[in-house]
Amino acid sequence: MKEAFAYFGAVKTNPVWGWAARSPDGATVAITMWEDQMEEVDGRIIYDVTHRGDLEVWRNRDGNKDRIRQLQWAIEHCHGLVRSVIVRAEDPKAVLRKVVSCEAHPTLIMRISRLDEETGEFYAESIT
């Protein structure tokens, strides 16, 4: 995962539990997105982690808390834009997932349009 974030010049806050990263100059935020939770609608990619049934599993995890901070930064300093690190789960139906692969998506840029700063639920839509 470190290499995927490095593709965007971004560094995770914590190399073990980080779900997001920011470049040292603050100009770029990159976040992980589960491939199976991405959906194409009218030619745009949608990533919607609002009103999910598994919220209590990840809500209080350190990775989510850090991701909230990074998403807040992106909204306040990057016009809500984030770069995408696509992760694949060994078992997409598992409650606690194991990452089997991840890669930086070189062209996918998402705009965060909703963020619940308490839970970490958010909605993003591609602009590219």
Side-chain angles (χ1 to χ4, degrees):
M1 199 173 289
K2 179 180 177 181
E3 293 81 15
F5 284 117
Y7 180 87
F8 301 116
V11 180
K12 293 193 313 182
T13 304
N14 182 289
V16 176
W17 49 252
W19 300 354
R22 186 183 331 161
S23 62
D25 66 0
T28 303
V29 172
I31 64 170
T32 57
M33 296 183 186
W34 291 108
E35 180 181 58
D36 65 286
Q37 294 177 355
M38 301 178 92
E39 179 181 0
E40 186 173 343
V41 177
D42 297 328
R44 291 185 170 230
I45 302 297
I46 304 296
Y47 194 72
D48 184 0
V49 288
T50 60
H51 309 295
R52 292 181 44 86
D54 60 352
L55 173 63
E56 292 308 315
V57 172
W58 53 266
R59 177 182 182 160
N60 293 313
R61 297 189 70 178
D62 290 334
N64 185 49
K65 293 174 185 179
D66 181 59
R67 181 177 60 184
I68 292 169
R69 288 188 292 275
Q70 301 300 345
L71 292 173
Q72 289 169 322
W73 178 272
I75 291 166
E76 294 169 8
H77 301 281
C78 304
H79 308 287
L81 302 178
V82 295
R83 302 305 304 261
S84 305
V85 172
I86 310 302
V87 290
R88 289 174 193 86
E90 180 177 71
D91 178 4
K93 295 179 181 170
V95 175
L96 292 174
R97 293 171 163 214
K98 179 181 178 185
V99 174
V100 292
S101 68
C102 70
E103 62 185 68
H105 193 297
T107 59
L108 182 61
I109 301 173
M110 306 287 283
R111 182 182 310 277
I112 306 302
S113 59
R114 285 185 301 229
L115 170 63
D116 184 321
E117 295 178 359
E118 291 184 29
T119 66
E121 295 172 293
F122 69 95
Y123 179 93
E125 188 173 311
S126 66
I127 66 162
T128 57

